[in-house]
Amino acid sequence: MKKRKTMITLLAAATLFLSGIGGSLKVSAAEPVTYSVKYMAEEQDWEYRADTAEFEDPNFYRSIYYMMETLKDGDLVAVYYDGSAPQDPILNLGDVRLSNLTVAQSDGFSVIYAGHINECFLLEGTSCAINSDINIANAYDAVTCNFNKNVNELRLNFNDDNDIHSTIGCSGTVGHFLTISTNYAPYDLYNFQPDSFYLVNGLLQTPEDKYSKTPTQQSAPQQPSAPQTTPTQPSGSTSQPSSEYDSVPKTGDSSPILWLFCIVLFCGAGFCVLNKSKTSF
């Protein structure tokens, strides 16, 4: 009887002990951060500010070097360029997979690198080249842009009272090209072959044998996004740009089998100690 009570005590103690360890081993996924990035003519380099998408007082901005130490998959970046660089400036964000990239109106041409972009917004007046695969690209007429990799969905928004003025090229493939206005959509095309998409001053220059007028299973049309001027935080229903981000352990993740196995080992060791003590008497 005494031996049985001792085993029950050991089991209860082990459960409480391992529960405490399990609580300390829980890992929370880091929340996405929004960065505003601007080219500073005085420093002739990019500087940034965290936790804001708006360009504010430049006295509070830091060198882009420090941003690259903390930038991670799922973050959001808003880019501002005033055309003050002696030549087209390059903003290299490394291999990070951004949830959102917004490029504001600019007075010059900039070049942006990233590992992957889930959704980007090219605001009216933007001039840039983007070196990244993009899931959804939203452009607001008129823009000048070249996508140097693949774009799954390209949406060009324009006013009903005006013709399209944008000039856009793509060195990769374009899965779906859609023009969006209130009353009509002159372009709704699919499956552009690599290095074939050319829109010059609103007129498509791609030969008809380089794209399709009907969707396929791989490039089904998606619902247009509402126009916006600043990046938005990704919601739970928005697809994430990276499987690596999804694999980060979330709060509350644990392995019941592991804890049960540890409890069994702990109790077995206690039983052996008790049995040895009894034998020695």
Side-chain angles (χ1 to χ4, degrees), residues 13-87:
T15 302
L16 291 174
F17 175 72
L18 293 174
S19 296
I21 294 177
S24 65
L25 291 178
K26 292 177 182 177
V27 179
S28 298
E31 293 294 326
V33 177
T34 299
Y35 297 92
S36 60
V37 179
K38 181 176 174 61
Y39 186 85
M40 299 297 185
E42 297 80 5
E43 290 75 16
Q44 295 188 3
D45 199 2
W46 298 92
E47 294 191 353
Y48 82 99
R49 187 172 180 180
D51 300 318
T52 179
E54 301 292 337
F55 173 69
E56 299 170 351
D57 189 342
N59 293 326
F60 292 97
Y61 279 68
R62 303 183 66 194
S63 170
I64 195 71
Y65 169 82
Y66 299 102
M67 173 179 154
M68 296 308 301
E69 292 184 337
T70 58
L71 187 67
K72 64 184 183 305
D73 290 354
D75 284 346
L76 304 86
V77 176
V79 180
Y80 298 85
Y81 176 51
D82 60 3
S84 59
Q87 58 184 6

Side-chain angles (χ1 to χ4, degrees), residues 26-172:
K26 292 177 182 177
V27 179
S28 298
E31 293 294 326
V33 177
T34 299
Y35 297 92
S36 60
V37 179
K38 181 176 174 61
Y39 186 85
M40 299 297 185
E42 297 80 5
E43 290 75 16
Q44 295 188 3
D45 199 2
W46 298 92
E47 294 191 353
Y48 82 99
R49 187 172 180 180
D51 300 318
T52 179
E54 301 292 337
F55 173 69
E56 299 170 351
D57 189 342
N59 293 326
F60 292 97
Y61 279 68
R62 303 183 66 194
S63 170
I64 195 71
Y65 169 82
Y66 299 102
M67 173 179 154
M68 296 308 301
E69 292 184 337
T70 58
L71 187 67
K72 64 184 183 305
D73 290 354
D75 284 346
L76 304 86
V77 176
V79 180
Y80 298 85
Y81 176 51
D82 60 3
S84 59
Q87 58 184 6
D88 300 340
I90 297 175
L91 175 60
N92 191 344
L93 301 176
D95 295 330
V96 69
R97 300 170 69 88
L98 297 176
S99 171
N100 184 301
L101 173 73
T102 295
V103 185
Q105 180 179 1
S106 57
D107 296 324
F109 196 87
S110 59
V111 182
I112 303 171
Y113 288 82
H116 183 278
I117 300 171
N118 183 45
E119 189 164 15
C120 78
F121 294 86
L122 307 178
L123 305 190
E124 182 179 357
T126 295
S127 298
C128 66
I130 300 180
N131 294 271
S132 174
D133 288 325
I134 300 173
N135 184 24
I136 302 174
N138 301 280
Y140 298 89
D141 197 49
V143 301
T144 300
C145 180
N146 193 77
F147 300 103
N148 292 331
K149 293 188 177 181
N150 302 322
V151 179
N152 183 45
E153 175 104 359
L154 174 56
R155 306 166 180 171
L156 176 59
N157 301 266
F158 68 100
N159 297 324
D160 290 330
D161 297 335
N162 300 320
D163 295 330
I164 300 174
H165 303 93
S166 292
T167 295
I168 302 174
C170 184
S171 301

Side-chain angles (χ1 to χ4, degrees), residues 235-276:
S235 63
S237 60
T238 303
S239 59
Q240 294 299 326
S242 170
S243 59
E244 290 85 352
Y245 183 78
D246 293 334
S247 65
V248 175
K250 307 301 188 297
T251 300
D253 287 352
S254 61
S255 175
I257 296 177
L258 177 60
W259 300 131
L260 182 59
F261 179 70
C262 292
I263 291 173
V264 171
L265 289 179
F266 188 91
C267 293
F271 176 78
C272 291
V273 171
L274 289 174
N275 190 43
K276 182 177 181 181

Side-chain angles (χ1 to χ4, degrees), residues 211-250:
Y211 63 85
S212 173
K213 296 182 179 180
T214 58
T216 64
Q217 186 177 2
Q218 290 76 21
S219 59
Q222 305 178 37
Q223 292 300 321
S225 293
Q228 59 185 66
T229 58
T230 58
T232 56
Q233 296 291 346
S235 63
S237 60
T238 303
S239 59
Q240 294 299 326
S242 170
S243 59
E244 290 85 352
Y245 183 78
D246 293 334
S247 65
V248 175
K250 307 301 188 297

